[in-house]
């Protein structure tokens, strides 16, 4: 009798990243090891389990569950209750159950060491098989079509497992136990090599060898990978890289590289311990690495004028096999035309990439949704995700704010778009979608929304968007049947960083000064904001200060022409006398006729919107010092200004003014006036000071502007956000100086500081005002 009373039943509900990571097999093995009975299954919310046994063994089970869980899993909540036993006889994995769908979808995971060893072992049955995977690695988000995560709800459903794969799948002691994408050469997907007409040239490993040979000979190959196509070319073949640029209509923007090994990366780049960990991580992102000085001309066609290379290691067996055959770095850029979404289907690729690629290495495993490569950069001793996609999406951010009305959809910004969906307290953030500049890109945006709604089988009750009415994402929100709520762009930036740094509680938030610096954001006063200092308290924000404004002659055209921005900035400083200063580089960049038109625009305020943008201030200075007059891609001038200061340690800075409003004026913001700084830059140019030194003084001055406003605002907690904080020097110096002045700085990590973080901020903004 005592023995029966000592036995109890434990009911468990486990939420988090617990599907597609081997969690059920782990629970099964642990229960068997401890002599427990019961069951475990997937639900639409996570994992459920009931376990019977001695109380002491059940308590041991709970302790070990947390401590020994699978490496790619994480537990958000573990709810359990003690019940009377009902007499289970064994332990089993039961069929999944349906219900309200809130389970976390796990990102795609880079190939694990065990699978990689099998792929290169001639005696293994998966030798050279490019679709090898297990519960610890392989496709997840890119193949899942519905929840819970079962093979029947993935794009692998059409591949019937052979007897040996089925045996692995059903064996609790095998690491492929319930691995949903499990396959082998006998029953799984296979490779084909096509020409540009879709004719099959080779199959299986011969197809891969044919692709490798073509790359070696300088051909451009479209390769269907995990979340879409790459366009691949020999990175050492400058002519081939240039042909790829011409085909993609991508003049100077850097290409991503794939290297065959970590050792080959270290031969070309400086790699810190943290950068090495990121390269080898299960996320396997593109990592921005500084080239070794003696090799900066080696890849001049890959990354013109850029001391950094975006590099990744192979992350699927297909890529490992290909890079093993090649033995040299390749360009591995997204399989698309500029401003279009990445191709995911082989027949679509033939149409869209047929004028670029000469051969197509394809396979027959369908891709459920496009998932591009993620991009990260190490700053201030930790990673900052600049593009959040493969390996990171769609893992959610958990809010501490009480959800009042969900689900809620946020449609993000115009550039670097992604979307977000609030379910309960979880904000599920989509993969990077891209710039909504083309019809195909906007179609991809709409598909992503439909995809999220179908995956979780829900319909939003409200929609959050940017305040810029010309953004396609905003127009989508207003044209929908849902109540639409606008969230100011820079407010959304600050909120996303606050949430990531847990500065928002269930009721109140930590009072902060948000420094939101970027290129463009529609302001509440109808001007273009971008150099903003926002005081955040409770549910309100106040524009406490901003950079001095100036006009942008030509409006949108100025965004692509730093010379126009410089003309607008200098006109604010010099007036009509600017056009007499023939020695100035921006003046020399235009014809006499063009200068006449620009002068008229500025005098009459025609197509010359007002901006406070920090990003445009970078553009103007880059033009004034002669670095860049026209951008070939977004942010190019600002990046080149950052690169120019490399290796120049200096504490020098320029002067500026902080113009505070009158004490009786509680509504007007303070103005951070850059006029003295710009005049001194002109003097330094006249005196022949090197561009790198001017750039260093300029960056240092921007940081001192932040310090001055932080003191004026009297806020201890300082949030750094917006696209300007992708700048490594600016961010690291700001953190260092703020700490030195006894402030507490916060910056991004897993949520991008650029517009890829806007959707999360929009969700928080709508919740704070509902």
């Amino acid at each position: 009798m005592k023995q029966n009373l000592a036995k109890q039943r434990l009911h468990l509900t486990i939420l988090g990243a617990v599907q597609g990571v081997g969690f059920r097999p782990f629970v099964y093995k642990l229960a068997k090891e401890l002599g427990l009975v019961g069951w475990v299954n997937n639900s639409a919310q996570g994992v459920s389990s009931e376990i019977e046994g001695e109380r002491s063994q059940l308590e041991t089970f709970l302790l070990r569950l947390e401590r020994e869980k699978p490496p790619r899993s994480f537990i958000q909540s573990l709810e359990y209750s003690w019940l009377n036993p009902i007499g289970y006889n064994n332990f089993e994995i039961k069929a999944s159950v349906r219900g309200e769908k809130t389970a976390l979808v796990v990102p795609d995971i880079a190939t694990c060491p065990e699978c990689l060893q099998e792929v290169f072992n001639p005696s293994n049955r998966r030798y050279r098989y490019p679709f090898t995977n297990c519960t610890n690695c392989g496709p997840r988000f890119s193949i899942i079509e519905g929840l819970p995560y079962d093979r029947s709800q993935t794009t692998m459903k059409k591949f019937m497992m052979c007897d040996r794969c089925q045996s692995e799948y059903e064996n609790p002691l095998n690491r492929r136990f319930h691995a949903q994408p499990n396959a082998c050469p006998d029953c799984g997907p296979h490779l084909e090599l096509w020409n540009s007409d879709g004719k099959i040239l080779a199959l299986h490993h011969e197809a891969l060898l044919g692709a490798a040979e073509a790359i070696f000979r300088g051909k451009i190959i479209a390769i269907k990978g995990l979340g879409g196509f790459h366009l691949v070319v020999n990175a050492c073949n400058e002519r081939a890289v240039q042909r790829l640029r011409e085909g993609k209509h991508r003049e100077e923007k850097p290409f991503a590289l794939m290297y065959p090994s970590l050792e080959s990366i270290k031969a070309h780049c400086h790699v810190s311990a943290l950068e090495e960990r990121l390269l080898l991580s299960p996320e396997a992102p593109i990592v921005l690495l500084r080239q070794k000085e003696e090799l900066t001309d080696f890849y001049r066609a890959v990354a013109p004028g850029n001391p950094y290379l975006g590099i990744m290691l192979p992350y699927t067996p297909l890529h490992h096999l290909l890079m093993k055959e090649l033995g040299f770095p390749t360009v591995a850029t997204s399989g698309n035309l500029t401003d279009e979404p990445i191709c995911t289907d082989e027949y679509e690729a033939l149409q869209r990439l047929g004028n670029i690629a000469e051969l197509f290495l394809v396979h027959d495993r369908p891709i459920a949704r496009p998932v591009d490569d993620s991009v990260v950069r190490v700053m201030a001793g930790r990673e900052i995700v600049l593009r959040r996609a493969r390996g990171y999406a769609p893992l959610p951010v958990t809010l501490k704010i009480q959800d009042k009305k969900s689900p809620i959809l946020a449609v993000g910004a115009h550039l670097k778009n992604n979307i977000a969906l609030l379910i309960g307290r979880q904000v599920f953030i989509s993969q990077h979608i891209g710039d909504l500049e083309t019809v195909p890109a906007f179609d991809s945006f709409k598909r992503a929304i439909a995809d999220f709604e179908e995956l979780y089988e829900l319909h939003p009750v409200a929609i959050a968007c940017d305040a810029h009415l010309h953004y396609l994402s905003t127009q989508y929100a207003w044209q929908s049947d849902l109540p639409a709520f606008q969230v100011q762009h820079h407010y959304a930036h600050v909120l996303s960083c606050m949430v990531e740094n847990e500065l928002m509680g269930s009721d109140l938030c930590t009072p902060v000064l948000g420094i939101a610096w970027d290129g463009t954001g529609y302001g509440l006063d109808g001007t273009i904001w971008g150099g903003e200092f926002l005081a955040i308290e409770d549910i309100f924000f106040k524009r406490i200060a901003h950079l001095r404004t100036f006009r942008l002659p030509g409006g949108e055209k100025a965004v692509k022409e730093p010379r126009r921005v410089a003309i607008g900035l200098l006109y604010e400083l010099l007036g009509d006398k600017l056009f007499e200063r023939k020695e100035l580089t921006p003046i020399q960049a235009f014809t006499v006729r063009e200068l006449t038109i620009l002068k008229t625009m500025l005098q009459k305020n025609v197509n010359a919107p007002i901006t406070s943008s920090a990003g445009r201030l970078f553009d103007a200075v880059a033009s004034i010092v002669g670095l860049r007059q026209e951008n070939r891609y977004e942010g190019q001038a600002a990046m080149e200004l950052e690169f120019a200061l490399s290796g120049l340690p200096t504490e020098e800075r320029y002067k500026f003014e902080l113009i505070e409003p009158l004490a009786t004026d509680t509504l007007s913001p303070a103005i951070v006036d850059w006029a003295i700084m710009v005049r001194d830059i002109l003097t330094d140019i006249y005196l022949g000071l090197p561009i790198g030194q001017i750039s260093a003084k300029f960056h240092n001055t921007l940081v001192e502007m932040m310090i001055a406003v932080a003191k004026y605002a009297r806020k201890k907690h300082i949030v750094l956000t917006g696209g300007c904080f992708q700048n490594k020097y600016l961010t690291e110096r700001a953190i260092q100086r703020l700490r030195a002045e006894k402030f507490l700085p916060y910056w991004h990590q897993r949520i991008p500081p650029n517009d890829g973080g806007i959707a999360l901020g929009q969700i928080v903004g709508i919740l704070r005002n509902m």
Side-chain angles (χ1 to χ4, degrees):
M1 188 70 176
K2 288 183 180 179
Q3 187 176 4
N4 289 336
L5 288 173
K7 284 191 176 183
Q8 289 192 276
R9 175 166 52 109
L10 188 63
H11 180 85
L12 293 145
T13 300
I14 307 164
L15 306 181
V18 291
Q19 293 189 15
V21 291
F23 205 91
R24 287 177 301 166
F26 160 70
V27 170
Y28 179 96
K29 293 174 188 176
L30 182 58
K32 282 288 194 180
E33 181 184 333
L34 294 174
L36 303 171
V37 294
W39 55 265
V40 63
N41 70 4
N42 275 345
S43 71
Q45 296 82 41
V47 166
S48 298
S49 181
E50 283 199 355
I51 306 170
E52 285 185 4
E54 301 287 340
R55 173 86 183 215
S56 61
Q57 289 294 81
L58 291 172
E59 289 175 345
T60 299
F61 175 89
L62 284 174
L63 290 173
R64 291 182 61 182
L65 186 75
E66 290 268 17
R67 190 170 60 235
E68 300 174 19
K69 64 184 182 296
R72 296 308 299 158
S73 69
F74 69 83
I75 296 173
Q76 286 186 321
S77 70
L78 193 162
E79 298 177 3
Y80 60 89
S81 55
W82 297 97
L83 305 169
N84 292 328
I86 57 176
Y88 292 118
N89 296 317
N90 56 16
F91 199 92
E92 63 177 330
I93 294 181
K94 294 174 65 174
S96 299
V97 295
R98 308 282 175 126
E100 182 185 356
K101 299 189 175 183
T102 59
L104 271 60
V105 177
V106 178
D108 299 314
I109 307 168
T111 309
C112 71
E114 291 82 4
C115 284
L116 197 58
Q117 188 176 38
E118 291 174 343
V119 169
F120 288 106
N121 180 359
S123 62
N124 191 280
R125 74 187 188 94
R126 290 185 172 86
Y127 178 53
R128 292 176 172 172
Y129 185 55
F131 305 99
T132 300
N133 66 83
C134 69
T135 55
N136 299 320
C137 69
R140 299 292 190 273
F141 184 47
S142 61
I143 63 169
I144 191 168
E145 295 177 323
L147 292 171
Y149 176 64
D150 290 317
R151 191 180 182 101
S152 61
Q153 305 222 70
T154 74
T155 62
M156 285 294 294
K157 61 181 178 289
K158 72 173 187 175
F159 299 100
M160 185 72 68
M161 280 185 279
C162 65
D163 289 344
R164 287 194 288 182
C165 284
Q166 190 70 38
S167 176
E168 292 171 333
Y169 183 85
E170 295 173 353
N171 181 0
L173 301 180
N174 193 291
R175 78 174 196 282
R176 293 191 170 91
F177 184 41
H178 282 252
Q180 306 306 336
N182 189 29
C184 74
D186 295 333
C187 64
H190 71 276
L191 289 177
E192 295 179 355
L193 185 65
W194 294 0
N195 66 13
S196 57
D197 294 324
K199 180 182 177 182
I200 298 174
L201 305 178
L203 298 171
H204 307 299
H205 190 62
E206 294 302 317
L208 185 139
L209 294 177
E213 174 63 24
I215 293 168
F216 182 80
R217 290 188 284 109
K219 303 290 186 183
I220 300 171
I221 311 299
I223 299 178
K224 185 180 179 183
L226 195 62
F229 274 80
H230 279 133
L231 288 167
V232 178
V233 72
N234 184 348
C236 307
N237 187 326
E238 192 169 323
R239 184 176 296 178
V241 174
Q242 197 56 46
R243 282 194 295 110
L244 178 57
R245 285 201 174 280
E246 292 166 2
K248 282 200 69 165
H249 306 137
R250 185 166 168 165
E251 295 178 79
E252 296 180 18
K253 189 175 182 179
F255 282 134
L257 295 169
M258 183 175 284
Y259 270 65
S261 66
L262 179 63
E263 291 69 29
S264 60
I265 295 174
K266 288 183 174 180
H268 287 174
C269 297
H270 302 283
V271 182
S272 69
L274 178 52
E275 288 164 341
E276 179 174 330
R277 185 184 68 76
L278 287 167
L279 287 164
L280 297 172
S281 70
E283 292 83 4
I286 296 168
V287 182
L288 298 186
L289 301 171
R290 190 168 191 87
Q291 299 182 61
K292 291 186 175 177
E293 288 71 16
E294 64 273 19
L295 295 171
T296 50
D297 288 335
F298 190 65
Y299 288 129
R300 60 181 176 224
V302 171
N306 194 324
Y308 288 86
L309 294 174
I311 296 177
M312 59 185 152
L313 285 168
Y315 55 85
T316 71
L318 168 58
H319 294 114
H320 279 285
L321 288 163
L322 180 67
M323 298 309 293
K324 181 76 170 178
E325 288 295 329
L326 292 173
F328 54 76
T330 64
V331 168
T333 188
S334 302
N336 58 2
L337 295 176
T338 298
D339 293 331
E340 289 190 2
I342 186 172
C343 290
T344 57
D345 176 80
E346 46 271 33
Y347 297 101
E348 172 198 23
L350 283 176
Q351 291 183 329
R352 290 175 52 198
L353 306 179
N355 293 328
I356 306 174
E358 292 153 281
L359 292 174
F360 293 77
L361 184 62
V362 303
H363 59 75
D364 56 343
R365 183 178 69 203
I367 296 172
R369 61 190 55 79
V371 186
D372 220 323
D373 297 312
S374 293
V375 180
V376 305
R377 188 178 193 183
V378 172
M379 295 187 206
R382 72 188 198 195
E383 67 179 299
I384 294 184
V385 175
L386 303 181
R387 184 169 76 192
R388 190 177 187 272
R390 178 182 51 77
Y392 297 90
L395 289 177
V397 172
T398 302
L399 302 183
K400 292 183 178 179
I401 303 172
Q402 181 63 46
D403 169 33
K404 298 175 184 177
K405 198 172 185 182
S406 71
I408 295 172
L409 171 68
V411 293
H414 185 71
L415 300 179
K416 297 179 175 62
N417 179 270
N418 60 12
I419 62 166
L421 191 63
L422 173 70
I423 307 174
R425 291 191 176 187
Q426 307 272 19
V427 182
F428 295 88
I429 304 171
S430 80
Q431 72 277 26
H432 167 83
I433 296 170
D435 300 346
L436 305 185
E437 297 279 4
T438 63
V439 171
F442 188 52
D443 288 342
S444 181
F445 159 82
K446 290 184 286 187
R447 283 196 302 272
I449 292 173
D451 178 44
F452 257 42
E453 292 177 357
E454 289 170 13
L455 187 60
Y456 288 100
E457 290 187 359
L458 51 78
H459 299 287
V461 298
I463 187 166
C465 63
D466 197 273
H468 199 308
L469 294 178
H470 290 162
Y471 283 2
L472 290 178
S473 56
T474 303
Q475 292 173 12
Y476 174 89
W478 285 110
Q479 291 166 10
S480 75
D481 296 328
L482 301 174
F485 297 83
Q486 293 181 340
V487 180
Q488 199 280 325
H489 189 87
H490 301 95
Y491 183 42
H493 267 308
V494 176
L495 292 176
S496 72
C497 192
M498 289 178 68
V499 167
E500 186 175 16
N501 286 280
E502 299 186 352
L503 293 173
M504 306 191 76
S506 57
D507 297 314
L508 299 174
C509 70
T510 302
V512 307
L513 172 66
I515 303 177
W517 283 11
D518 62 5
T520 300
Y522 188 77
L524 299 181
D525 58 1
T527 65
I528 300 171
W529 290 8
E532 308 311 309
F533 299 85
L534 306 181
I536 314 289
E537 291 192 36
D538 198 14
I539 64 170
F540 305 105
F541 82 91
K542 179 182 178 183
R543 191 190 193 196
I544 198 169
H546 62 81
L547 297 179
R548 178 179 173 178
T549 60
F550 59 96
R551 292 191 173 274
L552 295 175
E556 284 296 317
K557 214 169 184 182
V559 175
K560 298 181 180 180
E561 297 184 26
R563 58 182 184 167
R564 285 178 178 266
V565 183
I567 292 293
L569 181 103
L570 291 171
Y571 188 82
E572 175 72 15
L573 191 66
L574 304 173
D576 289 344
K577 291 183 179 180
L578 163 65
F579 297 95
E580 300 171 10
R581 300 284 295 270
K582 307 300 182 185
E583 81 280 6
L584 297 179
T585 304
I587 294 292
Q588 296 171 6
F590 291 99
T591 65
V592 173
R593 181 177 177 276
E594 289 170 333
L595 288 171
T596 301
I597 295 171
L598 289 170
K599 185 177 181 180
T600 301
M601 294 170 77
L602 291 165
Q603 286 176 332
K604 297 185 177 182
N605 296 335
V606 176
N607 193 22
I610 294 171
T611 186
S612 60
S613 167
R616 299 290 83 82
L617 184 58
F618 270 92
D619 285 349
V621 173
S623 170
I624 290 167
V625 301
L627 267 179
R628 170 69 49 181
Q629 303 305 324
E630 297 183 58
N631 282 332
R632 304 300 182 193
Y633 57 89
E634 187 207 359
Q636 185 178 17
M639 289 169 60
E640 291 182 354
L641 197 59
E642 176 193 355
F643 301 153
L645 57 75
S646 174
L648 291 170
T650 180
E651 296 299 316
E652 288 187 88
R653 63 194 72 154
Y654 295 111
K655 293 179 180 179
F656 64 93
E657 285 187 282
L658 179 62
I659 304 172
E660 301 179 14
L662 296 174
T664 55
D665 184 356
T666 59
L667 298 177
S668 298
I671 306 298
V672 184
D673 193 347
W674 37 256
I676 299 174
M677 177 186 73
V678 174
R679 289 185 187 277
D680 288 346
I681 287 174
L682 293 175
T683 300
D684 280 348
I685 293 170
Y686 177 77
L687 295 174
L689 205 67
I691 290 175
Q693 198 167 340
I694 294 173
S695 177
K697 291 171 69 176
F698 169 69
H699 279 79
N700 292 348
T701 307
L702 294 181
V703 172
E704 295 311 308
M705 291 175 177
M706 299 179 206
I707 301 296
V709 177
K711 291 178 178 178
Y712 166 71
R714 298 182 180 180
K715 294 283 190 292
K716 184 176 182 180
H717 302 273
I718 313 298
V719 167
L720 306 176
T721 185
C724 289
F725 291 101
Q726 296 173 112
N727 181 314
K728 181 179 173 70
Y729 182 90
L730 183 74
T731 303
E732 291 183 338
R733 185 171 178 88
I735 292 166
Q736 177 256 318
R737 285 287 295 120
L738 285 165
R739 285 175 172 167
E741 296 288 343
K742 309 303 181 186
F743 294 102
L744 295 176
Y746 300 87
W747 63 102
H748 289 271
Q749 187 167 344
R750 290 296 181 99
I751 302 299
N754 55 46
D755 284 3
I758 287 290
L760 172 61
Q762 290 172 345
I763 289 284
V764 181
I766 193 174
L767 281 180
R768 284 165 60 83
N769 290 283
M770 287 182 73

